[in-house]
PDB file of all heavy atoms in Angstrom:
ATOM      1  N   PHE U   1      81.404 171.237 -56.226  1.00 60.00           N
ATOM      2  CA  PHE U   1      81.816 171.285 -54.778  1.00 60.00           C
ATOM      3  C   PHE U   1      80.626 170.888 -53.922  1.00 60.00           C
ATOM      4  O   PHE U   1      80.807 170.706 -52.711  1.00 60.00           O
ATOM      5  CB  PHE U   1      82.212 172.707 -54.422  1.00 60.00           C
ATOM      6  CG  PHE U   1      81.130 173.703 -54.572  1.00 60.00           C
ATOM      7  CD1 PHE U   1      80.270 174.025 -53.535  1.00 60.00           C
ATOM      8  CD2 PHE U   1      80.889 174.348 -55.754  1.00 60.00           C
ATOM      9  CE1 PHE U   1      79.240 174.986 -53.691  1.00 60.00           C
ATOM     10  CE2 PHE U   1      79.897 175.222 -55.926  1.00 60.00           C
ATOM     11  CZ  PHE U   1      79.062 175.570 -54.870  1.00 60.00           C
ATOM     12  N   GLN U   2      79.463 170.776 -54.450  1.00 59.00           N
ATOM     13  CA  GLN U   2      78.220 170.523 -53.649  1.00 59.00           C
ATOM     14  C   GLN U   2      78.250 169.208 -52.860  1.00 59.00           C
ATOM     15  O   GLN U   2      77.703 169.106 -51.769  1.00 59.00           O
ATOM     16  CB  GLN U   2      77.000 170.580 -54.457  1.00 59.00           C
ATOM     17  CG  GLN U   2      76.716 172.038 -54.851  1.00 59.00           C
ATOM     18  CD  GLN U   2      75.421 172.222 -55.637  1.00 59.00           C
ATOM     19  OE1 GLN U   2      74.759 171.193 -55.901  1.00 59.00           O
ATOM     20  NE2 GLN U   2      75.097 173.384 -56.020  1.00 59.00           N
ATOM     21  N   HIS U   3      78.960 168.172 -53.328  1.00 59.00           N
ATOM     22  CA  HIS U   3      78.992 166.934 -52.621  1.00 59.00           C
ATOM     23  C   HIS U   3      79.773 167.102 -51.270  1.00 59.00           C
ATOM     24  O   HIS U   3      79.554 166.352 -50.330  1.00 59.00           O
ATOM     25  CB  HIS U   3      79.720 165.851 -53.432  1.00 59.00           C
ATOM     26  CG  HIS U   3      81.218 166.120 -53.662  1.00 59.00           C
ATOM     27  ND1 HIS U   3      81.638 167.002 -54.624  1.00 59.00           N
ATOM     28  CD2 HIS U   3      82.231 165.639 -53.004  1.00 59.00           C
ATOM     29  CE1 HIS U   3      82.944 167.014 -54.565  1.00 59.00           C
ATOM     30  NE2 HIS U   3      83.423 166.222 -53.650  1.00 59.00           N
ATOM     31  N   ARG U   4      80.631 168.080 -51.186  1.00 59.00           N
ATOM     32  CA  ARG U   4      81.354 168.395 -49.914  1.00 59.00           C
ATOM     33  C   ARG U   4      80.487 169.227 -48.945  1.00 59.00           C
ATOM     34  O   ARG U   4      80.884 169.289 -47.791  1.00 59.00           O
ATOM     35  CB  ARG U   4      82.602 169.105 -50.239  1.00 59.00           C
ATOM     36  CG  ARG U   4      83.620 168.210 -50.963  1.00 59.00           C
ATOM     37  CD  ARG U   4      84.821 168.981 -51.294  1.00 59.00           C
ATOM     38  NE  ARG U   4      84.473 169.739 -52.573  1.00 59.00           N
ATOM     39  CZ  ARG U   4      85.264 170.557 -53.169  1.00 59.00           C
ATOM     40  NH1 ARG U   4      86.451 170.729 -52.744  1.00 59.00           N
ATOM     41  NH2 ARG U   4      84.926 171.146 -54.306  1.00 59.00           N
ATOM     42  N   GLU U   5      79.428 169.704 -49.303  1.00 61.00           N
ATOM     43  CA  GLU U   5      78.605 170.573 -48.470  1.00 61.00           C
ATOM     44  C   GLU U   5      77.452 169.802 -47.841  1.00 61.00           C
ATOM     45  O   GLU U   5      76.738 170.352 -47.048  1.00 61.00           O
ATOM     46  CB  GLU U   5      78.028 171.734 -49.307  1.00 61.00           C
ATOM     47  CG  GLU U   5      79.146 172.727 -49.566  1.00 61.00           C
ATOM     48  CD  GLU U   5      78.603 174.023 -50.120  1.00 61.00           C
ATOM     49  OE1 GLU U   5      77.375 174.279 -50.088  1.00 61.00           O
ATOM     50  OE2 GLU U   5      79.398 174.818 -50.511  1.00 61.00           O
ATOM     51  N   ARG U   6      77.349 168.472 -48.092  1.00 64.00           N
ATOM     52  CA  ARG U   6      76.299 167.760 -47.387  1.00 64.00           C
ATOM     53  C   ARG U   6      76.689 167.373 -45.979  1.00 64.00           C
ATOM     54  O   ARG U   6      77.896 167.078 -45.719  1.00 64.00           O
ATOM     55  CB  ARG U   6      76.031 166.437 -48.172  1.00 64.00           C
ATOM     56  CG  ARG U   6      74.971 166.586 -49.199  1.00 64.00           C
ATOM     57  CD  ARG U   6      74.610 165.279 -49.806  1.00 64.00           C
ATOM     58  NE  ARG U   6      75.487 165.187 -51.038  1.00 64.00           N
ATOM     59  CZ  ARG U   6      76.087 164.074 -51.422  1.00 64.00           C
ATOM     60  NH1 ARG U   6      76.017 162.969 -50.701  1.00 64.00           N
ATOM     61  NH2 ARG U   6      76.854 164.130 -52.453  1.00 64.00           N
ATOM     62  N   VAL U   7      75.770 167.468 -45.038  1.00 65.00           N
ATOM     63  CA  VAL U   7      76.003 167.115 -43.681  1.00 65.00           C
ATOM     64  C   VAL U   7      75.700 165.666 -43.525  1.00 65.00           C
ATOM     65  O   VAL U   7      74.697 165.176 -44.050  1.00 65.00           O
ATOM     66  CB  VAL U   7      75.133 167.958 -42.666  1.00 65.00           C
ATOM     67  CG1 VAL U   7      75.385 167.518 -41.284  1.00 65.00           C
ATOM     68  CG2 VAL U   7      75.469 169.445 -42.885  1.00 65.00           C
ATOM     69  N   ALA U   8      76.531 164.913 -42.804  1.00 67.00           N
ATOM     70  CA  ALA U   8      76.336 163.467 -42.613  1.00 67.00           C
ATOM     71  C   ALA U   8      74.969 163.252 -41.925  1.00 67.00           C
ATOM     72  O   ALA U   8      74.526 164.033 -41.096  1.00 67.00           O
ATOM     73  CB  ALA U   8      77.422 162.929 -41.774  1.00 67.00           C
ATOM     74  N   SER U   9      74.335 162.135 -42.337  1.00 74.00           N
ATOM     75  CA  SER U   9      72.958 161.873 -41.827  1.00 74.00           C
ATOM     76  C   SER U   9      72.850 161.757 -40.313  1.00 74.00           C
ATOM     77  O   SER U   9      71.869 162.247 -39.718  1.00 74.00           O
ATOM     78  CB  SER U   9      72.445 160.628 -42.513  1.00 74.00           C
ATOM     79  OG  SER U   9      73.135 159.522 -42.119  1.00 74.00           O
ATOM     80  N   HIS U  10      73.896 161.157 -39.684  1.00 70.00           N
ATOM     81  CA  HIS U  10      73.834 161.019 -38.224  1.00 70.00           C
ATOM     82  C   HIS U  10      73.882 162.333 -37.528  1.00 70.00           C
ATOM     83  O   HIS U  10      73.351 162.529 -36.432  1.00 70.00           O
ATOM     84  CB  HIS U  10      74.817 160.002 -37.712  1.00 70.00           C
ATOM     85  CG  HIS U  10      76.251 160.307 -38.021  1.00 70.00           C
ATOM     86  ND1 HIS U  10      76.828 159.952 -39.197  1.00 70.00           N
ATOM     87  CD2 HIS U  10      77.130 161.021 -37.353  1.00 70.00           C
ATOM     88  CE1 HIS U  10      78.090 160.317 -39.210  1.00 70.00           C
ATOM     89  NE2 HIS U  10      78.248 161.008 -38.095  1.00 70.00           N
ATOM     90  N   TYR U  11      74.594 163.309 -38.155  1.00 78.00           N
ATOM     91  CA  TYR U  11      74.631 164.657 -37.536  1.00 78.00           C
ATOM     92  C   TYR U  11      73.304 165.355 -37.696  1.00 78.00           C
ATOM     93  O   TYR U  11      72.809 166.047 -36.841  1.00 78.00           O
ATOM     94  CB  TYR U  11      75.727 165.505 -38.206  1.00 78.00           C
ATOM     95  CG  TYR U  11      77.084 165.050 -37.865  1.00 78.00           C
ATOM     96  CD1 TYR U  11      78.012 164.696 -38.823  1.00 78.00           C
ATOM     97  CD2 TYR U  11      77.578 164.886 -36.504  1.00 78.00           C
ATOM     98  CE1 TYR U  11      79.322 164.226 -38.559  1.00 78.00           C
ATOM     99  CE2 TYR U  11      78.851 164.435 -36.212  1.00 78.00           C
ATOM    100  CZ  TYR U  11      79.652 164.127 -37.245  1.00 78.00           C
ATOM    101  OH  TYR U  11      80.944 163.684 -36.947  1.00 78.00           O
ATOM    102  N   GLN U  12      72.646 165.210 -38.842  1.00 84.00           N
ATOM    103  CA  GLN U  12      71.322 165.763 -39.091  1.00 84.00           C
ATOM    104  C   GLN U  12      70.343 165.145 -38.128  1.00 84.00           C
ATOM    105  O   GLN U  12      69.488 165.880 -37.519  1.00 84.00           O
ATOM    106  CB  GLN U  12      70.861 165.520 -40.526  1.00 84.00           C
ATOM    107  CG  GLN U  12      71.618 166.280 -41.560  1.00 84.00           C
ATOM    108  CD  GLN U  12      71.188 165.907 -42.984  1.00 84.00           C
ATOM    109  OE1 GLN U  12      70.563 164.806 -43.193  1.00 84.00           O
ATOM    110  NE2 GLN U  12      71.484 166.772 -43.933  1.00 84.00           N
ATOM    111  N   MET U  13      70.416 163.833 -37.923  1.00 87.00           N
ATOM    112  CA  MET U  13      69.520 163.151 -37.009  1.00 87.00           C
ATOM    113  C   MET U  13      69.748 163.578 -35.582  1.00 87.00           C
ATOM    114  O   MET U  13      68.801 163.829 -34.785  1.00 87.00           O
ATOM    115  CB  MET U  13      69.701 161.653 -37.108  1.00 87.00           C
ATOM    116  CG  MET U  13      68.704 160.860 -36.258  1.00 87.00           C
ATOM    117  SD  MET U  13      68.883 159.109 -36.378  1.00 87.00           S
ATOM    118  CE  MET U  13      68.205 158.878 -38.022  1.00 87.00           C
ATOM    119  N   SER U  14      71.016 163.836 -35.219  1.00 88.00           N
ATOM    120  CA  SER U  14      71.333 164.273 -33.816  1.00 88.00           C
ATOM    121  C   SER U  14      70.666 165.612 -33.546  1.00 88.00           C
ATOM    122  O   SER U  14      70.092 165.815 -32.523  1.00 88.00           O
ATOM    123  CB  SER U  14      72.790 164.303 -33.663  1.00 88.00           C
ATOM    124  OG  SER U  14      73.179 164.797 -32.407  1.00 88.00           O
ATOM    125  N   VAL U  15      70.734 166.541 -34.500  1.00 90.00           N
ATOM    126  CA  VAL U  15      70.200 167.842 -34.302  1.00 90.00           C
ATOM    127  C   VAL U  15      68.677 167.741 -34.183  1.00 90.00           C
ATOM    128  O   VAL U  15      68.043 168.371 -33.343  1.00 90.00           O
ATOM    129  CB  VAL U  15      70.594 168.760 -35.462  1.00 90.00           C
ATOM    130  CG1 VAL U  15      69.831 170.090 -35.414  1.00 90.00           C
ATOM    131  CG2 VAL U  15      72.073 169.056 -35.439  1.00 90.00           C
ATOM    132  N   ALA U  16      68.051 166.984 -35.068  1.00 92.00           N
ATOM    133  CA  ALA U  16      66.582 166.808 -35.063  1.00 92.00           C
ATOM    134  C   ALA U  16      66.072 166.135 -33.744  1.00 92.00           C
ATOM    135  O   ALA U  16      65.099 166.575 -33.127  1.00 92.00           O
ATOM    136  CB  ALA U  16      66.131 166.060 -36.228  1.00 92.00           C
ATOM    137  N   LEU U  17      66.815 165.137 -33.324  1.00 94.00           N
ATOM    138  CA  LEU U  17      66.427 164.453 -32.125  1.00 94.00           C
ATOM    139  C   LEU U  17      66.592 165.297 -30.798  1.00 94.00           C
ATOM    140  O   LEU U  17      65.808 165.272 -29.949  1.00 94.00           O
ATOM    141  CB  LEU U  17      67.170 163.131 -31.975  1.00 94.00           C
ATOM    142  CG  LEU U  17      66.808 162.002 -32.938  1.00 94.00           C
ATOM    143  CD1 LEU U  17      67.788 160.876 -32.887  1.00 94.00           C
ATOM    144  CD2 LEU U  17      65.350 161.583 -32.709  1.00 94.00           C
ATOM    145  N   LYS U  18      67.639 166.038 -30.818  1.00 95.00           N
ATOM    146  CA  LYS U  18      67.901 166.962 -29.693  1.00 95.00           C
ATOM    147  C   LYS U  18      66.774 167.955 -29.582  1.00 95.00           C
ATOM    148  O   LYS U  18      66.279 168.328 -28.545  1.00 95.00           O
ATOM    149  CB  LYS U  18      69.246 167.727 -29.874  1.00 95.00           C
ATOM    150  CG  LYS U  18      70.482 166.888 -29.517  1.00 95.00           C
ATOM    151  CD  LYS U  18      71.693 167.794 -29.746  1.00 95.00           C
ATOM    152  CE  LYS U  18      72.926 167.070 -29.606  1.00 95.00           C
ATOM    153  NZ  LYS U  18      74.177 167.873 -29.800  1.00 95.00           N
ATOM    154  N   SER U  19      66.322 168.426 -30.761  1.00 95.00           N
ATOM    155  CA  SER U  19      65.200 169.401 -30.751  1.00 95.00           C
ATOM    156  C   SER U  19      63.949 168.771 -30.161  1.00 95.00           C
ATOM    157  O   SER U  19      63.240 169.399 -29.396  1.00 95.00           O
ATOM    158  CB  SER U  19      65.018 169.913 -32.183  1.00 95.00           C
ATOM    159  OG  SER U  19      63.837 170.679 -32.277  1.00 95.00           O
ATOM    160  N   GLU U  20      63.639 167.557 -30.646  1.00 96.00           N
ATOM    161  CA  GLU U  20      62.443 166.874 -30.134  1.00 96.00           C
ATOM    162  C   GLU U  20      62.507 166.572 -28.640  1.00 96.00           C
ATOM    163  O   GLU U  20      61.547 166.766 -27.909  1.00 96.00           O
ATOM    164  CB  GLU U  20      62.221 165.566 -30.927  1.00 96.00           C
ATOM    165  CG  GLU U  20      61.877 165.699 -32.339  1.00 96.00           C
ATOM    166  CD  GLU U  20      60.554 166.469 -32.525  1.00 96.00           C
ATOM    167  OE1 GLU U  20      59.579 166.191 -31.782  1.00 96.00           O
ATOM    168  OE2 GLU U  20      60.467 167.339 -33.422  1.00 96.00           O
ATOM    169  N   ILE U  21      63.687 166.144 -28.195  1.00 96.00           N
ATOM    170  CA  ILE U  21      63.886 165.877 -26.766  1.00 96.00           C
ATOM    171  C   ILE U  21      63.691 167.157 -25.910  1.00 96.00           C
ATOM    172  O   ILE U  21      63.149 167.128 -24.849  1.00 96.00           O
ATOM    173  CB  ILE U  21      65.221 165.174 -26.534  1.00 96.00           C
ATOM    174  CG1 ILE U  21      65.223 163.786 -27.160  1.00 96.00           C
ATOM    175  CG2 ILE U  21      65.462 164.977 -25.011  1.00 96.00           C
ATOM    176  CD1 ILE U  21      66.519 163.051 -27.137  1.00 96.00           C
ATOM    177  N   LYS U  22      64.229 168.210 -26.429  1.00 96.00           N
ATOM    178  CA  LYS U  22      64.105 169.539 -25.727  1.00 96.00           C
ATOM    179  C   LYS U  22      62.615 169.874 -25.598  1.00 96.00           C
ATOM    180  O   LYS U  22      62.223 170.369 -24.514  1.00 96.00           O
ATOM    181  CB  LYS U  22      64.875 170.604 -26.407  1.00 96.00           C
ATOM    182  CG  LYS U  22      66.373 170.551 -26.171  1.00 96.00           C
ATOM    183  CD  LYS U  22      67.079 171.688 -26.882  1.00 96.00           C
ATOM    184  CE  LYS U  22      68.599 171.555 -26.821  1.00 96.00           C
ATOM    185  NZ  LYS U  22      69.244 172.644 -27.550  1.00 96.00           N
ATOM    186  N   LYS U  23      61.889 169.749 -26.655  1.00 97.00           N
ATOM    187  CA  LYS U  23      60.425 170.055 -26.567  1.00 97.00           C
ATOM    188  C   LYS U  23      59.746 169.156 -25.488  1.00 97.00           C
ATOM    189  O   LYS U  23      58.929 169.639 -24.679  1.00 97.00           O
ATOM    190  CB  LYS U  23      59.727 169.797 -27.876  1.00 97.00           C
ATOM    191  CG  LYS U  23      60.100 170.730 -29.011  1.00 97.00           C
ATOM    192  CD  LYS U  23      59.480 170.374 -30.299  1.00 97.00           C
ATOM    193  CE  LYS U  23      60.107 171.073 -31.492  1.00 97.00           C
ATOM    194  NZ  LYS U  23      59.579 170.589 -32.775  1.00 97.00           N
ATOM    195  N   LEU U  24      60.091 167.859 -25.425  1.00 97.00           N
ATOM    196  CA  LEU U  24      59.548 166.959 -24.493  1.00 97.00           C
ATOM    197  C   LEU U  24      59.990 167.360 -23.103  1.00 97.00           C
ATOM    198  O   LEU U  24      59.177 167.261 -22.093  1.00 97.00           O
ATOM    199  CB  LEU U  24      59.863 165.535 -24.770  1.00 97.00           C
ATOM    200  CG  LEU U  24      59.234 164.964 -26.032  1.00 97.00           C
ATOM    201  CD1 LEU U  24      59.922 163.642 -26.405  1.00 97.00           C
ATOM    202  CD2 LEU U  24      57.758 164.728 -25.781  1.00 97.00           C
ATOM    203  N   ILE U  25      61.224 167.744 -22.931  1.00 96.00           N
ATOM    204  CA  ILE U  25      61.710 168.168 -21.596  1.00 96.00           C
ATOM    205  C   ILE U  25      60.980 169.399 -21.168  1.00 96.00           C
ATOM    206  O   ILE U  25      60.568 169.545 -19.968  1.00 96.00           O
ATOM    207  CB  ILE U  25      63.218 168.390 -21.610  1.00 96.00           C
ATOM    208  CG1 ILE U  25      63.977 167.036 -21.685  1.00 96.00           C
ATOM    209  CG2 ILE U  25      63.687 169.106 -20.359  1.00 96.00           C
ATOM    210  CD1 ILE U  25      65.480 167.090 -21.893  1.00 96.00           C
ATOM    211  N   TYR U  26      60.747 170.331 -22.017  1.00 96.00           N
ATOM    212  CA  TYR U  26      60.010 171.546 -21.625  1.00 96.00           C
ATOM    213  C   TYR U  26      58.577 171.210 -21.269  1.00 96.00           C
ATOM    214  O   TYR U  26      57.999 171.826 -20.354  1.00 96.00           O
ATOM    215  CB  TYR U  26      60.096 172.609 -22.738  1.00 96.00           C
ATOM    216  CG  TYR U  26      61.493 173.091 -22.950  1.00 96.00           C
ATOM    217  CD1 TYR U  26      61.946 173.408 -24.244  1.00 96.00           C
ATOM    218  CD2 TYR U  26      62.463 173.235 -21.998  1.00 96.00           C
ATOM    219  CE1 TYR U  26      63.240 173.843 -24.545  1.00 96.00           C
ATOM    220  CE2 TYR U  26      63.719 173.560 -22.196  1.00 96.00           C
ATOM    221  CZ  TYR U  26      64.138 173.942 -23.465  1.00 96.00           C
ATOM    222  OH  TYR U  26      65.399 174.407 -23.706  1.00 96.00           O
ATOM    223  N   THR U  27      57.952 170.276 -22.004  1.00 97.00           N
ATOM    224  CA  THR U  27      56.640 169.833 -21.597  1.00 97.00           C
ATOM    225  C   THR U  27      56.584 169.189 -20.237  1.00 97.00           C
ATOM    226  O   THR U  27      55.753 169.427 -19.446  1.00 97.00           O
ATOM    227  CB  THR U  27      56.057 168.868 -22.645  1.00 97.00           C
ATOM    228  OG1 THR U  27      56.126 169.533 -23.977  1.00 97.00           O
ATOM    229  CG2 THR U  27      54.652 168.398 -22.384  1.00 97.00           C
ATOM    230  N   HIS U  28      57.652 168.318 -19.987  1.00 97.00           N
ATOM    231  CA  HIS U  28      57.747 167.708 -18.707  1.00 97.00           C
ATOM    232  C   HIS U  28      57.920 168.753 -17.584  1.00 97.00           C
ATOM    233  O   HIS U  28      57.310 168.602 -16.506  1.00 97.00           O
ATOM    234  CB  HIS U  28      58.979 166.743 -18.702  1.00 97.00           C
ATOM    235  CG  HIS U  28      59.291 166.291 -17.301  1.00 97.00           C
ATOM    236  ND1 HIS U  28      60.524 166.486 -16.808  1.00 97.00           N
ATOM    237  CD2 HIS U  28      58.544 165.612 -16.403  1.00 97.00           C
ATOM    238  CE1 HIS U  28      60.517 165.964 -15.556  1.00 97.00           C
ATOM    239  NE2 HIS U  28      59.380 165.473 -15.338  1.00 97.00           N
ATOM    240  N   VAL U  29      58.751 169.761 -17.833  1.00 97.00           N
ATOM    241  CA  VAL U  29      58.925 170.843 -16.871  1.00 97.00           C
ATOM    242  C   VAL U  29      57.608 171.499 -16.508  1.00 97.00           C
ATOM    243  O   VAL U  29      57.221 171.844 -15.370  1.00 97.00           O
ATOM    244  CB  VAL U  29      60.039 171.877 -17.248  1.00 97.00           C
ATOM    245  CG1 VAL U  29      60.007 173.048 -16.366  1.00 97.00           C
ATOM    246  CG2 VAL U  29      61.333 171.156 -17.259  1.00 97.00           C
ATOM    247  N   GLY U  30      56.728 171.715 -17.541  1.00 97.00           N
ATOM    248  CA  GLY U  30      55.380 172.338 -17.342  1.00 97.00           C
ATOM    249  C   GLY U  30      54.549 171.451 -16.466  1.00 97.00           C
ATOM    250  O   GLY U  30      53.935 171.905 -15.542  1.00 97.00           O
ATOM    251  N   ILE U  31      54.492 170.079 -16.757  1.00 97.00           N
ATOM    252  CA  ILE U  31      53.795 169.188 -15.894  1.00 97.00           C
ATOM    253  C   ILE U  31      54.299 169.208 -14.478  1.00 97.00           C
ATOM    254  O   ILE U  31      53.552 169.258 -13.486  1.00 97.00           O
ATOM    255  CB  ILE U  31      53.838 167.725 -16.476  1.00 97.00           C
ATOM    256  CG1 ILE U  31      53.133 167.670 -17.864  1.00 97.00           C
ATOM    257  CG2 ILE U  31      53.226 166.714 -15.535  1.00 97.00           C
ATOM    258  CD1 ILE U  31      53.348 166.400 -18.622  1.00 97.00           C
ATOM    259  N   TRP U  32      55.607 169.166 -14.372  1.00 97.00           N
ATOM    260  CA  TRP U  32      56.309 169.154 -13.018  1.00 97.00           C
ATOM    261  C   TRP U  32      55.865 170.400 -12.283  1.00 97.00           C
ATOM    262  O   TRP U  32      55.612 170.323 -11.033  1.00 97.00           O
ATOM    263  CB  TRP U  32      57.802 169.058 -13.280  1.00 97.00           C
ATOM    264  CG  TRP U  32      58.564 168.920 -11.992  1.00 97.00           C
ATOM    265  CD1 TRP U  32      58.829 167.757 -11.323  1.00 97.00           C
ATOM    266  CD2 TRP U  32      59.214 169.945 -11.296  1.00 97.00           C
ATOM    267  NE1 TRP U  32      59.597 168.017 -10.227  1.00 97.00           N
ATOM    268  CE2 TRP U  32      59.900 169.343 -10.189  1.00 97.00           C
ATOM    269  CE3 TRP U  32      59.357 171.283 -11.453  1.00 97.00           C
ATOM    270  CZ2 TRP U  32      60.597 170.067  -9.284  1.00 97.00           C
ATOM    271  CZ3 TRP U  32      60.061 172.045 -10.539  1.00 97.00           C
ATOM    272  CH2 TRP U  32      60.695 171.424  -9.485  1.00 97.00           C
ATOM    273  N   LEU U  33      55.906 171.567 -12.935  1.00 96.00           N
ATOM    274  CA  LEU U  33      55.542 172.801 -12.233  1.00 96.00           C
ATOM    275  C   LEU U  33      54.032 172.823 -11.747  1.00 96.00           C
ATOM    276  O   LEU U  33      53.720 173.327 -10.729  1.00 96.00           O
ATOM    277  CB  LEU U  33      55.839 174.049 -13.170  1.00 96.00           C
ATOM    278  CG  LEU U  33      57.264 174.396 -13.360  1.00 96.00           C
ATOM    279  CD1 LEU U  33      57.443 175.440 -14.421  1.00 96.00           C
ATOM    280  CD2 LEU U  33      57.909 174.812 -12.000  1.00 96.00           C
ATOM    281  N   LEU U  34      53.195 172.249 -12.611  1.00 94.00           N
ATOM    282  CA  LEU U  34      51.769 172.101 -12.215  1.00 94.00           C
ATOM    283  C   LEU U  34      51.604 171.253 -10.971  1.00 94.00           C
ATOM    284  O   LEU U  34      50.909 171.582 -10.070  1.00 94.00           O
ATOM    285  CB  LEU U  34      50.911 171.571 -13.318  1.00 94.00           C
ATOM    286  CG  LEU U  34      50.656 172.520 -14.479  1.00 94.00           C
ATOM    287  CD1 LEU U  34      49.910 171.806 -15.678  1.00 94.00           C
ATOM    288  CD2 LEU U  34      49.762 173.681 -13.935  1.00 94.00           C
ATOM    289  N   LEU U  35      52.283 170.102 -10.940  1.00 94.00           N
ATOM    290  CA  LEU U  35      52.280 169.242  -9.763  1.00 94.00           C
ATOM    291  C   LEU U  35      52.853 169.920  -8.554  1.00 94.00           C
ATOM    292  O   LEU U  35      52.356 169.818  -7.399  1.00 94.00           O
ATOM    293  CB  LEU U  35      52.937 167.928  -9.998  1.00 94.00           C
ATOM    294  CG  LEU U  35      52.255 167.019 -10.941  1.00 94.00           C
ATOM    295  CD1 LEU U  35      53.039 165.724 -11.163  1.00 94.00           C
ATOM    296  CD2 LEU U  35      50.869 166.567 -10.354  1.00 94.00           C
ATOM    297  N   LEU U  36      53.989 170.604  -8.717  1.00 95.00           N
ATOM    298  CA  LEU U  36      54.603 171.369  -7.613  1.00 95.00           C
ATOM    299  C   LEU U  36      53.628 172.432  -7.068  1.00 95.00           C
ATOM    300  O   LEU U  36      53.546 172.604  -5.894  1.00 95.00           O
ATOM    301  CB  LEU U  36      55.879 171.959  -8.085  1.00 95.00           C
ATOM    302  CG  LEU U  36      56.686 172.768  -7.042  1.00 95.00           C
ATOM    303  CD1 LEU U  36      57.219 171.747  -5.921  1.00 95.00           C
ATOM    304  CD2 LEU U  36      57.896 173.473  -7.686  1.00 95.00           C
ATOM    305  N   ALA U  37      52.973 173.143  -7.994  1.00 93.00           N
ATOM    306  CA  ALA U  37      52.000 174.182  -7.561  1.00 93.00           C
ATOM    307  C   ALA U  37      50.823 173.551  -6.773  1.00 93.00           C
ATOM    308  O   ALA U  37      50.490 174.097  -5.762  1.00 93.00           O
ATOM    309  CB  ALA U  37      51.525 174.975  -8.789  1.00 93.00           C
ATOM    310  N   GLN U  38      50.317 172.390  -7.267  1.00 91.00           N
ATOM    311  CA  GLN U  38      49.269 171.724  -6.541  1.00 91.00           C
ATOM    312  C   GLN U  38      49.745 171.303  -5.148  1.00 91.00           C
ATOM    313  O   GLN U  38      48.964 171.387  -4.186  1.00 91.00           O
ATOM    314  CB  GLN U  38      48.800 170.536  -7.370  1.00 91.00           C
ATOM    315  CG  GLN U  38      47.588 169.791  -6.727  1.00 91.00           C
ATOM    316  CD  GLN U  38      47.782 168.353  -6.525  1.00 91.00           C
ATOM    317  OE1 GLN U  38      48.748 167.786  -6.954  1.00 91.00           O
ATOM    318  NE2 GLN U  38      46.897 167.779  -5.738  1.00 91.00           N
ATOM    319  N   MET U  39      50.934 170.865  -5.045  1.00 92.00           N
ATOM    320  CA  MET U  39      51.434 170.396  -3.741  1.00 92.00           C
ATOM    321  C   MET U  39      51.621 171.614  -2.821  1.00 92.00           C
ATOM    322  O   MET U  39      51.306 171.454  -1.675  1.00 92.00           O
ATOM    323  CB  MET U  39      52.794 169.677  -3.935  1.00 92.00           C
ATOM    324  CG  MET U  39      52.628 168.305  -4.673  1.00 92.00           C
ATOM    325  SD  MET U  39      54.181 167.505  -4.997  1.00 92.00           S
ATOM    326  CE  MET U  39      54.370 166.686  -3.341  1.00 92.00           C
ATOM    327  N   CYS U  40      52.149 172.614  -3.286  1.00 93.00           N
ATOM    328  CA  CYS U  40      52.331 173.825  -2.480  1.00 93.00           C
ATOM    329  C   CYS U  40      51.031 174.400  -1.998  1.00 93.00           C
ATOM    330  O   CYS U  40      50.849 174.722  -0.817  1.00 93.00           O
ATOM    331  CB  CYS U  40      53.167 174.877  -3.260  1.00 93.00           C
ATOM    332  SG  CYS U  40      54.872 174.532  -3.496  1.00 93.00           S
ATOM    333  N   VAL U  41      50.084 174.484  -2.961  1.00 92.00           N
ATOM    334  CA  VAL U  41      48.764 175.026  -2.577  1.00 92.00           C
ATOM    335  C   VAL U  41      48.047 174.072  -1.560  1.00 92.00           C
ATOM    336  O   VAL U  41      47.434 174.538  -0.581  1.00 92.00           O
ATOM    337  CB  VAL U  41      47.860 175.162  -3.803  1.00 92.00           C
ATOM    338  CG1 VAL U  41      46.392 175.453  -3.498  1.00 92.00           C
ATOM    339  CG2 VAL U  41      48.379 176.370  -4.640  1.00 92.00           C
ATOM    340  N   GLY U  42      48.225 172.778  -1.725  1.00 88.00           N
ATOM    341  CA  GLY U  42      47.645 171.846  -0.807  1.00 88.00           C
ATOM    342  C   GLY U  42      48.247 171.877   0.562  1.00 88.00           C
ATOM    343  O   GLY U  42      47.542 171.871   1.636  1.00 88.00           O
TER     344      GLY U  42
END
């Protein structure tokens, strides 16, 4: 039955890429918040 339990490669890739993009988005939000803070303080 194990051949039926494999996840298709494009689904695996989708999950991995979503995870990487989320990390990059959270990094972007951190940079954005720093710039916003600098603008508010200025």
Side-chain angles (χ1 to χ4, degrees):
F1 64 90
Q2 290 185 355
H3 68 280
R4 289 175 280 180
E5 291 193 5
R6 270 186 267 136
V7 177
S9 64
H10 58 271
Y11 292 123
Q12 290 175 342
M13 184 179 286
S14 178
V15 170
L17 291 170
K18 283 180 187 180
S19 172
E20 291 299 317
I21 294 171
K22 283 179 186 178
K23 291 175 193 174
L24 291 166
I25 288 173
Y26 297 145
T27 304
H28 168 240
V29 169
I31 293 168
W32 186 83
L33 288 172
L34 286 173
L35 286 177
L36 182 67
Q38 185 236 347
M39 292 176 84
C40 290
V41 167

